[in-house]
Amino acid sequence: MLTLYTAWGTIGLACEIALEEAGAAYEAKRLSFADNAQRAPDFLAVNPKSRVPALVTDRGVITEAPAILAYVARAFPKAHLAPEGDAFALAQLESFAAYLCSWVHPAAAHRHRGYRWADDPAAIADMRRKAPLNFAEALDLIDRELFLGPWVLGDAYSYGDPYLYTVATWISRDGLDMADYPNIADHCARMEARPAVIAVRERVQAARVAAG
């Protein structure tokens, strides 16, 4: 049994969808950031980085979304979450995931977490202003150039799809308009029709209701 530590509104959603797509036996443990649960001693014993997602396996803990997604794809090859026998296509997937991780995700995060990079209120306010512009620029590049359609890699679904879908759920939160990204919007609609995504969304919503 795998255990995924995640939290609402985070990139952990991508990992949970991938686990669901893979048919993995797993438990999702949802941390409350409002209660600062990511800094609690019991979670720090799992991931001293104080971040989600974290996946507990029988061999140890895996952190960072790209690594978790790649692990799920390799551990459950029958789910076909990554290209098999095609080094170039696999590199394309890894490149896309790296771009989301290294630039797109931080571009979105700077709007809400400027305090991690600055103490000056003016600097934090400037990050809050600038971050959505950077996020929008990255989304535009994905929509125009990087997204092959109908899935991230073209005809084949991969772990890049729940990754992109999760990032796209932040678009309206950051004051951007999904209509400006028609390919991403179409991808989100296609994702939300998948049984795995429906199941995870229902589970997440039930957990939020239960938590009050």
Side-chain angles (χ1 to χ4, degrees):
M1 169 77 76
L2 299 168
T3 301
L4 177 70
Y5 286 84
T6 184
W8 181 81
T10 72
I11 206 68
L13 175 64
C15 301
E16 188 168 356
I17 292 171
L19 287 165
E20 193 73 22
E21 294 275 14
Y26 74 97
E27 175 188 8
K29 291 194 174 182
R30 307 183 194 283
L31 304 187
S32 170
F33 284 2
D35 296 329
N36 219 23
Q38 74 274 23
R39 299 189 183 280
D42 57 344
F43 180 64
L44 291 175
V46 174
N47 184 11
K49 297 174 184 176
S50 185
R51 299 285 185 270
V52 295
L55 184 68
V56 181
T57 77
D58 59 356
R59 295 182 60 184
V61 179
I62 303 170
T63 63
E64 309 302 333
I68 293 172
L69 291 166
Y71 168 81
V72 173
R74 293 180 173 96
F76 301 92
K78 291 182 180 179
H80 303 293
L81 294 176
E84 299 173 12
D86 187 335
F88 182 79
L90 181 58
Q92 283 186 308
L93 174 58
E94 291 170 340
S95 175
F96 187 82
Y99 182 60
L100 293 183
C101 180
S102 66
W103 178 244
V104 186
H105 189 167
H110 274 66
R111 179 170 185 254
H112 306 276
R113 299 172 186 160
Y115 59 86
R116 289 183 178 172
W117 291 275
D119 296 316
D120 184 348
I124 294 172
D126 200 40
M127 277 189 271
R128 190 175 296 116
R129 177 194 63 80
K130 180 67 174 175
L133 302 179
N134 290 337
F135 188 30
E137 185 179 74
L139 291 168
D140 184 62
L141 176 62
I142 292 169
D143 198 75
R144 288 185 297 103
E145 301 287 344
L146 305 184
F147 179 80
L148 299 182
W151 304 111
V152 165
L153 293 182
D155 292 333
Y157 184 88
S158 71
Y159 68 71
D161 293 294
Y163 206 166
L164 175 60
Y165 170 72
T166 300
V167 169
T169 64
W170 304 335
I171 289 175
S172 60
R173 180 198 70 178
D174 280 17
L176 304 177
D177 189 348
M178 181 70 87
D180 291 335
Y181 315 104
N183 290 320
I184 294 175
D186 181 67
H187 178 260
C188 283
R190 190 175 295 106
M191 286 293 295
E192 289 176 353
R194 292 182 72 87
V197 177
I198 293 170
V200 170
R201 283 168 57 92
E202 289 177 348
R203 203 173 300 132
V204 169
Q205 182 59 29
R208 292 188 71 195
V209 170

